[in-house]
Amino acid sequence: MTPTEQLALTGIERLTWTLYAEQRFTLGGRREAKARRVFIADVTKAFDCIRSEAKRQGYAVDFGAVDLRLATLHAMQKPCCYCVDLFGLDAFAITFDVPPERDKRGYRMANIVVCCALCESCKGRELSGGEWLDVMAALKAADPDAARAFRVRLAAGTAAVDHRRGGQGTPRRVPAAGNARVAGKV
């Protein structure tokens, strides 16, 4: 890790990252350093998207990039809050629990949710977390493989709708291999 990267991490963040990496990854030195750089870049990009969207709408953000990184690391130590699947550095997303368009206080840390990329892609920008949990509860009655296949098709449909809207929203990738994204307009 370069001295610049070391300065970019606070003491708590270094400890949190170390604990997270020990629990979820067995990475070599270079792979861990690369994973750390990619993680920091992805979360910083997500923060920049949130901040620019809030500024464009005339609202303030009550947290910083480091706060978002710490919250993301903390959330990644648990399964997805929607589907209860485990996810890691290669398949996480940052989204809003309640869409900011519905609740103008939505650009607060309390409204941020870190979940798996598949749930974020399926949930989209319009549904709240509670509404997506209702959909997930209905899917639990189905066969697990069929439910996952449905969610993958739903995510692909969301990506197609975003593309037809002129590219508004974040670029969608295959959810199982996506990097951090923030739901919303970039």
Side-chain angles (χ1 to χ4, degrees):
M1 178 183 277
T2 66
T4 306
E5 290 172 331
Q6 288 176 348
L7 290 174
L9 296 173
T10 65
I12 295 172
E13 202 170 12
R14 269 190 229 117
L15 176 63
T16 305
W17 176 266
T18 303
L19 293 173
Y20 176 72
E22 288 173 0
Q23 290 176 4
R24 299 289 293 270
F25 299 99
T26 309
L27 301 174
R30 287 185 186 176
R31 286 181 58 207
E32 182 179 347
K34 181 180 179 186
R36 183 180 292 127
R37 280 192 305 273
V38 169
F39 171 79
I40 290 171
D42 286 347
V43 176
T44 301
K45 180 181 176 185
F47 174 75
D48 291 342
C49 289
I50 292 169
R51 186 179 54 191
S52 66
E53 179 73 12
K55 184 177 180 179
R56 189 177 63 75
Q57 293 184 5
Y59 295 98
V61 175
D62 73 343
F63 57 92
V66 172
D67 299 322
L68 187 58
R69 272 189 246 149
L70 288 171
T72 303
L73 284 172
H74 179 71
M76 291 172 69
Q77 294 175 8
K78 304 175 209 160
C80 176
C81 57
Y82 298 125
C83 67
V84 196
D85 286 344
L86 293 177
F87 63 97
L89 288 175
D90 61 340
F92 74 95
I94 299 168
T95 188
F96 297 104
D97 186 37
V98 178
E101 293 81 20
R102 290 193 203 172
D103 182 6
K104 295 304 179 188
R105 297 168 293 149
Y107 294 100
R108 297 182 185 270
M109 186 58 126
N111 195 30
I112 297 291
V113 175
V114 179
C115 60
C116 72
L118 182 57
C119 281
E120 186 271 330
S121 294
C122 294
K123 177 182 161 295
R125 178 83 175 188
E126 291 79 20
L127 293 178
S128 71
E131 292 164 345
W132 180 243
L133 283 172
D134 291 342
V135 172
M136 290 301 296
L139 285 175
K140 284 188 191 270
D143 174 59
D145 292 333
R148 179 152 178 86
F150 174 79
R151 288 174 43 219
V152 168
R153 286 193 305 274
L154 184 61
T158 302
V161 169
D162 285 350
H163 180 71
R164 274 185 255 146
R165 288 182 179 167
Q168 292 185 13
T170 54
R172 305 276 183 182
R173 290 179 229 133
V174 177
N179 290 327
R181 295 184 307 275
V182 61
K185 300 172 186 167
V186 177

